[in-house]
Amino acid sequence: MQYEWWHEAVIYQIYPRSFMDSNGDGIGDLAGITSKLDYLAGTLGVDAIWISPFYKSPMADFGYDVADYVDVDPMFGTLEDFDALVTQAHDLGLRVIVDWVPNHSSSMHPWFVESRSSRDNPKRDWYVWKDPAPDGSEPNNWISVFSGPAWTLDEHTGQYYLHSFLSEQPDLNWRNPALAEAMLDTLRFWLRRGVDGFRLDACHFAMKDPLYRSNPVLERPEHGYKDLGEYDRLIHLYDRGHPDIHGLFRDVRAVLDDFSEERPRFSVGEIHLEGEEWASYYGEGDELHMPYHFGMLNGDWTAAWARGVVDTQEAVLPAGAWPNYVLGNHDEIRIATRYGARRARMATLMLLTLRGTPTLYYGDELGMVQADIPSDRQQDPWGRRQPGLGRDGCRTPMQWAAGPGGGFTTACPWLGTVDPDRVLNVEAQLADPGSMLNLTRRLLEVRKGSRALRIGRYEAIEGLPETVFGYRRRVEGESVSVYLNFGDHPVDVPAEGQVLVATRSGIRGRAGGALALGALDGAVLSS
């Protein structure tokens, strides 16, 4: 197998609105990211950054409603700021991955403004328009992910347009060759500016059933639908993931391959599927380099659960495909809140030692917690429309130091920081040898120095206590073992080798036949 940079990399996701404010307006920006690249490349030690959308946008979905795919929103800076970021990142050995939104644009995008102007506009077919049903209702029963019908009637032209998400996010029609080429050109624009890859947002939605048939409805559960939202009451057979999507991904891969003669370029897709259907998005090595795997985001937090997630992914991977893992992102509850601070330490050890490419969400290296944002202070447009579903809690500003603004801004931050004990910040944790940040730094250092951890094969270790998930990473000439105690009580694990890194400082030295793990502890051993 030929290994490229992304096989061995640790990716760090940056939510630009919340990472660092360079101009004192309370909102993070590109220049702010540039000012912290030394932290990312040197202090922390990651290999690549993924920057969530910074494109021109009316911010109906905080940038995932793109009004211009080839420009920077003034809120975040300029194209020159972006170029400076890429140049400095590359000088420091960091790769740059940017978000790309193929399923929909903003309703304010000039393409859609033209498309909705008349039925005979040349760009009409760049989006999905359908006549009403005979009774005047929506063309089919499709539901938006954000609730309500996936269709909005345009009074001016008398047709409905499709939006899988917000009504301000009309779906693009990838079956139109002109639209498809225009979108691929946006990839070329950023590749020419030096980006190393793309994270594709909600990308398996981009191709639907060409007949636009209604989705089947779930048979009524025994206890009714009370625990299901309206979206989950449908079997999503026709409104996403039509087999033609694989042709779209092959076209994207061809663009990336064209630019890979200079250096390898990379793609990773947001695809919330499982098993062989999920694995099909690798294609035959000619589609996505990786579809994101979200199996670690939620579970019952047992050794059997964790091993099941890993073994299942390993089993369904096509030949030559590379796995990946995610613990958090801009849509999910912070891991330190979801599983607890002790589990977050062990989970980070697991994330950075499994076979595959891990993605760290900004602030998770500090154990940042989910903020409880009062309803009257919600910023997330979805949260304001659907109380209780807002995503502000995982998007609060990065905490660089204690005090007002958390070192993120000199102004009032767009969302408040959450650091009640003044220890969930970079400054405090760098000074504490036992901090979450220093554990993460040590894990990244060990990983960087170990070929077994970067590219070695995965082998589950049998015969361990019920609460322990153990595995070896092997490559010619090197073997590393990892032991994770998911239980609430200490346990002795049969193991030998030198402890390279552990979740707490009390686990050190050489295990001479037995390794003593406390509750929710983990350790990495050379063997």
Side-chain angles (χ1 to χ4, degrees):
M1 183 170 176
Q2 179 179 346
Y3 293 97
E4 305 292 359
W5 64 265
W6 50 270
H7 287 101
E8 303 185 42
V10 174
I11 301 170
Y12 185 95
Q13 181 191 357
I14 294 173
Y15 194 68
R17 179 182 285 265
S18 295
F19 196 65
M20 185 64 197
D21 170 23
S22 72
N23 60 4
D25 65 357
I27 299 172
D29 46 50
L30 294 178
I33 296 172
T34 303
S35 74
K36 294 297 185 180
L37 291 177
D38 283 333
Y39 164 80
L40 296 168
T43 305
L44 185 57
V46 296
D47 306 289
I49 56 174
W50 150 31
I51 309 174
S52 293
F54 49 82
Y55 309 114
K56 281 188 175 179
S57 169
M59 302 296 162
D61 190 23
F62 279 179
Y64 284 96
D65 51 318
V66 179
D68 190 339
Y69 284 91
V70 292
D71 205 354
V72 175
D73 194 284
M75 176 187 298
F76 300 122
T78 65
L79 280 170
E80 289 72 25
D81 290 329
F82 179 81
D83 292 341
L85 188 162
V86 171
T87 297
Q88 186 163 331
H90 286 170
D91 287 347
L92 292 169
L94 284 171
R95 309 284 182 160
V96 179
I97 300 163
V98 300
D99 238 310
W100 187 60
V101 186
N103 180 69
H104 50 265
S105 76
S106 164
S107 57
M108 301 299 291
H109 195 295
W111 296 346
F112 188 71
V113 173
E114 283 193 54
S115 182
R116 77 186 309 175
S117 66
S118 69
R119 290 197 181 197
D120 58 1
N121 185 276
K123 288 191 173 61
R124 183 67 170 184
D125 196 39
W126 284 34
Y127 294 82
V128 179
W129 293 93
K130 294 295 174 186
D131 289 328
D135 64 356
S137 63
E138 293 82 11
N140 61 29
N141 72 347
W142 294 359
I143 295 294
S144 161
V145 173
F146 289 159
S147 82
W151 300 93
T152 290
L153 180 65
D154 178 63
E155 298 286 352
H156 175 62
T157 60
Q159 285 188 313
Y160 283 90
Y161 67 86
L162 177 65
H163 52 90
S164 298
F165 296 88
L166 296 175
S167 60
E168 296 92 340
Q169 295 170 296
D171 283 18
L172 297 161
N173 179 17
W174 275 88
R175 298 188 187 283
N176 181 297
L179 176 280
E181 189 58 27
M183 284 297 290
L184 295 175
D185 271 344
T186 68
L187 293 177
R188 297 181 182 106
F189 176 89
W190 295 107
L191 289 165
R192 293 187 186 106
R193 298 195 96 89
V195 304
D196 299 284
F198 298 92
R199 179 263 186 186
L200 281 63
D201 176 69
C203 54
H204 69 300
F205 281 81
M207 279 289 189
K208 292 87 172 168
D209 173 41
L211 300 179
Y212 296 92
R213 288 169 283 187
S214 286
N215 281 319
V217 179
L218 279 173
E219 293 185 11
R220 187 175 179 83
E222 181 180 353
H223 301 293
Y225 289 122
K226 64 181 180 179
D227 296 327
L228 295 177
E230 57 180 345
Y231 186 80
D232 295 321
R233 295 176 189 180
L234 299 180
I235 300 171
H236 294 279
L237 187 62
Y238 297 122
D239 58 349
R240 65 189 190 194
H242 187 272
D244 289 350
I245 193 73
H246 296 285
L248 187 161
F249 290 146
R250 286 192 291 271
D251 290 343
V252 169
R253 181 63 170 268
V255 171
L256 295 174
D257 288 349
D258 284 345
F259 282 82
S260 292
E261 293 182 6
E262 176 188 3
R263 64 179 185 278
R265 310 299 176 101
F266 168 71
S267 62
V268 59
E270 181 193 20
I271 295 179
H272 289 272
L273 296 171
E274 298 177 357
E276 293 182 0
E277 186 179 6
W278 167 83
S280 70
Y281 288 90
Y282 287 96
E284 297 181 2
D286 58 352
E287 295 184 35
L288 294 171
H289 291 90
M290 296 188 315
Y292 260 135
H293 190 270
F294 298 112
M296 288 292 183
L297 286 178
N298 293 287
D300 61 7
W301 199 257
T302 63
W305 162 75
R307 177 172 174 175
V309 171
V310 176
D311 287 355
T312 298
Q313 184 180 185
E314 290 280 351
V316 301
L317 284 171
W322 193 243
N324 66 91
Y325 295 94
V326 177
L327 287 177
N329 61 36
H330 59 288
D331 291 327
E332 302 293 337
I333 294 173
R334 286 274 183 185
I335 185 167
T337 297
R338 191 185 332 135
Y339 289 138
R342 286 284 299 276
R343 290 184 176 92
R345 294 173 70 90
M346 191 175 76
T348 300
L349 188 148
M350 179 170 62
L351 176 75
L352 297 177
T353 57
L354 282 168
R355 187 175 88 102
T357 301
T359 298
L360 277 170
Y361 184 49
Y362 84 95
D364 279 354
E365 76 271 26
L366 306 173
M368 277 177 59
V369 295
Q370 188 83 358
D372 184 10
I373 309 294
S375 58
D376 62 340
R377 297 184 185 177
Q378 287 277 332
Q379 301 291 320
D380 181 7
W382 188 25
R384 293 205 299 267
R385 297 180 191 204
Q386 299 288 319
L389 296 180
R391 299 159 292 179
D392 291 332
C394 64
R395 299 176 177 183
T396 54
M398 178 70 174
Q399 293 157 195
W400 299 100
F408 161 74
T409 182
T410 56
C412 179
W414 76 280
L415 278 176
T417 56
V418 186
D419 190 7
D421 299 321
R422 303 169 72 87
V423 295
L424 297 179
N425 64 78
V426 172
E427 185 176 73
Q429 292 201 14
L430 282 175
D432 176 7
S435 69
M436 179 71 167
L437 176 57
N438 278 320
L439 170 62
T440 307
R441 294 175 67 204
R442 176 61 180 154
L443 282 164
L444 289 166
E445 179 184 32
V446 169
R447 177 188 172 95
K448 213 174 277 282
S450 169
R451 290 187 70 245
L453 287 176
R454 295 196 313 276
I455 63 172
R457 62 186 179 274
Y458 158 86
E459 301 170 356
I461 299 175
E462 306 294 348
L464 298 177
E466 182 180 2
T467 64
V468 177
F469 174 34
Y471 48 91
R472 290 189 183 89
R473 301 291 312 284
R474 294 184 189 272
V475 72
E476 186 176 356
E478 184 186 0
S479 176
V480 172
S481 300
V482 180
Y483 300 92
L484 305 158
N485 179 18
F486 283 74
D488 294 324
H489 302 284
V491 64
D492 289 335
V493 178
E496 293 190 8
Q498 185 71 32
V499 177
L500 300 175
V501 58
T503 51
R504 60 183 175 89
S505 59
I507 308 172
R508 58 177 59 181
R510 185 169 190 87
L515 173 69
L517 289 177
L520 305 177
D521 275 340
V524 182
L525 281 67
S526 63
S527 55

